[in-house]
Amino acid sequence: MAYARCPELRTASNRLLISLLAADFILLGACYPAIYQILRVAPIFGILGCKAYGFLASVAALSEIWSLAAVSCDRARAMNSPLDTSKRIRKSQANLILTFIWGTSICFSVFPLLGWNRYVSEAYFMGCAFDSFSTSWSDRSYIIILIILAWFIPLLIICISYISITVSYTHLRAHETLRYLVCRLLLEK
């Protein structure tokens, strides 16, 4: 609400956070039917509901992990060059990144509906997700690509970003400590 009312909050970095928020709300909204299914011990909307739940949960989860990766990159750029605004992400770049994130999330969530893998009910009808137990090569290829694109690469980006932030902060603290010691030695003389 504040984002819509206050133009100062409409920064590129905040657009990435809004994307993360939207993905969280989609997942949250998908939880309520899943809770009802658990209590009822049966799918409430049948096969179509299972596919819809699987699709929405997949879109939200994929968008969330990639939004987290984008936020971590943005934070690393801000920490590594705090005064250089030319290295900050621009609104057009944020829009392009978000279009890519949500577009690929939708694309990879549609594939099981089109026959590359499928959405199946999880244990105790807790929800529906892509079939990770299938032994066919087609289904396994989807899982392998999804593990690489939705787990390994975003995790690598997030780790590299936060390692970069940690190294930058460590160098900054070492430089401040050295400057403090030099100033203290000069003042004592």
Side-chain angles (χ1 to χ4, degrees):
M1 192 71 135
Y3 181 81
R5 288 185 181 176
C6 186
E8 293 83 21
L9 292 177
R10 294 185 204 139
T11 64
S13 296
N14 284 348
R15 287 178 190 219
L16 300 176
L17 293 174
I18 293 295
S19 171
L20 185 61
L21 177 74
D24 280 337
F25 270 116
I26 292 171
L27 276 177
L28 178 67
C31 284
Y32 292 114
I35 291 171
Y36 184 71
Q37 283 183 164
I38 293 169
L39 296 174
R40 190 170 169 221
V41 193
I44 55 175
F45 299 118
I47 295 171
L48 183 63
C50 180
K51 289 180 179 180
Y53 175 86
F55 174 77
L56 285 175
S58 293
V59 169
L62 293 171
S63 298
E64 189 162 348
I65 188 67
W66 279 105
S67 293
L68 283 169
V71 167
S72 68
C73 280
D74 181 51
R75 297 291 184 240
R77 290 175 80 177
M79 282 295 293
N80 292 332
S81 304
L83 300 177
D84 190 2
T85 57
S86 67
K87 292 189 178 182
R88 297 282 173 90
I89 191 170
R90 295 185 304 276
K91 287 182 183 179
S92 60
Q93 290 174 323
N95 290 339
L96 187 65
I97 290 167
L98 292 177
T99 301
F100 175 77
I101 287 171
W102 285 91
T104 54
S105 297
I106 290 169
C107 182
F108 272 93
S109 298
V110 165
F111 288 147
L113 297 175
L114 299 177
W116 189 22
N117 207 306
R118 63 187 176 278
Y119 291 116
V120 295
S121 181
E122 294 175 333
Y124 303 109
F125 302 107
M126 291 175 57
C128 292
F130 48 85
D131 188 2
S132 57
F133 297 107
S134 175
T135 57
S136 77
W137 172 245
S138 175
D139 292 346
R140 285 193 176 182
S141 66
Y142 177 79
I143 300 298
I144 290 168
I145 289 173
L146 206 58
I147 287 171
I148 292 168
L149 291 178
W151 186 77
F152 183 72
I153 293 174
L155 184 64
L156 187 66
I157 290 170
I158 291 168
C159 288
I160 289 171
S161 297
Y162 284 106
I163 288 170
S164 169
I165 289 171
T166 304
V167 168
S168 175
Y169 181 74
T170 304
H171 287 305
L172 178 68
R173 291 290 295 164
H175 181 70
E176 285 179 357
T177 304
L178 181 63
R179 185 172 38 179
Y180 171 76
L181 291 174
V182 169
C183 288
R184 188 169 174 195
L185 286 173
L186 290 174
L187 288 175
E188 286 180 0
K189 289 184 179 187

